[in-house]
Amino acid sequence: KNEVEQSPQNLTAQEGEFITINCSYSVGISALHWLQQHPGGGIVSLFMLSSGKKKHGRLIATINIQEKHSSLHITASHPRDSAVYICAVLDSNYQLIWGAGTKLIIKP
Amino acid sequence: DAGVTQSPTHLIKTRGQQVTLRCSPKSGHDTVSWYQQALGQGPQFIFQYYEEEERQRGNFPDRFSGHQFPNYSSELNVNALWLGDSALYLCASSLPGLQYEQFFGPGTRLTVL
């Protein structure tokens, strides 16, 4: 079993829809990252969370430490949001353990 | 602030050769981590450098080595390249300490023929 599990693996939605991507982890962590990777490779850090909720524009990230679960939400989705979204947890050994990613496609 | 920069952007090598990839961290950052991302897979942690020393290492062979310079920039060296080393190599910088966010460079795409 992977230490970081993301769901769904693939998600296709229409422009304007509310998007939710989930992340569950099984190890002790000090922080959880949500990252975005566009075709071509570059990775952009969206959020780093250790508790509660963060919001940046149309993106919202939440984490429940007790349940070892985090969600990334996108409101009013747009085709430019199409990318791979990755959940990664920072463990006690300073290592980022990555989820497999969720490929999101937003159709106009 | 230029953010994290990496060079070169693309590189083609043949089996058995050696390669050096370079990373300049974001201004004010002194910790650099390297990751390998094979096609269709998530990034795998190679190692992290802080104060010019390797602080932590992932499950990679000794063919993968690194260095950090006094200006905090870093190099990743891979010897005896084989086809399986073809990947996107990502560098990330951060402030020291677990509570700080990692910022990623654009990556270097290495192709081994």
Side-chain angles (χ1 to χ4, degrees), chain B residues 9-72:
Chain B
T9 54
H10 295 85
L11 199 53
I12 299 175
K13 292 285 188 177
T14 56
R15 282 173 291 177
Q17 285 189 309
Q18 178 266 344
V19 68
T20 298
L21 310 182
R22 296 176 177 84
C23 172
S24 292
K26 183 177 169 66
S27 178
H29 287 184
D30 56 8
T31 301
V32 174
S33 302
W34 285 93
Y35 298 86
Q36 180 198 64
Q37 186 178 25
L39 193 62
Q41 298 182 26
Q44 299 294 314
F45 174 74
I46 303 175
F47 42 52
Q48 184 181 77
Y49 276 84
Y50 170 64
E51 292 188 340
E52 302 179 50
E53 290 189 0
E54 184 182 290
R55 180 164 70 170
Q56 195 62 235
R57 188 179 183 93
N59 188 25
F60 278 79
D62 292 342
R63 297 188 297 111
F64 289 77
S65 63
H67 187 75
Q68 186 177 34
F69 298 94
N71 67 352
Y72 308 126

Side-chain angles (χ1 to χ4, degrees), chain A residues 30-31 33-35 37 40-48 86 90-101, chain B residues 33 35 37 40-45 48 55-58 88 90 97-107 109:
Chain A
S30 57
H33 294 254
W34 281 103
L35 309 119
Q37 186 170 32
I43 290 181
V44 175
S45 179
L46 300 175
F47 296 103
M48 188 179 79
I86 303 169
L90 191 64
D91 74 4
S92 56
N93 293 317
Y94 304 95
Q95 293 191 26
L96 271 179
I97 305 173
W98 303 74
Chain B
S33 302
Y35 298 86
Q37 186 178 25
Q41 298 182 26
Q44 299 294 314
F45 174 74
Q48 184 181 77
R55 180 164 70 170
Q56 195 62 235
R57 188 179 183 93
L88 179 70
L90 295 160
L98 302 177
Q99 69 272 33
Y100 293 110
E101 184 176 2
Q102 293 196 27
F103 290 79
F104 288 86
R109 185 160 298 282

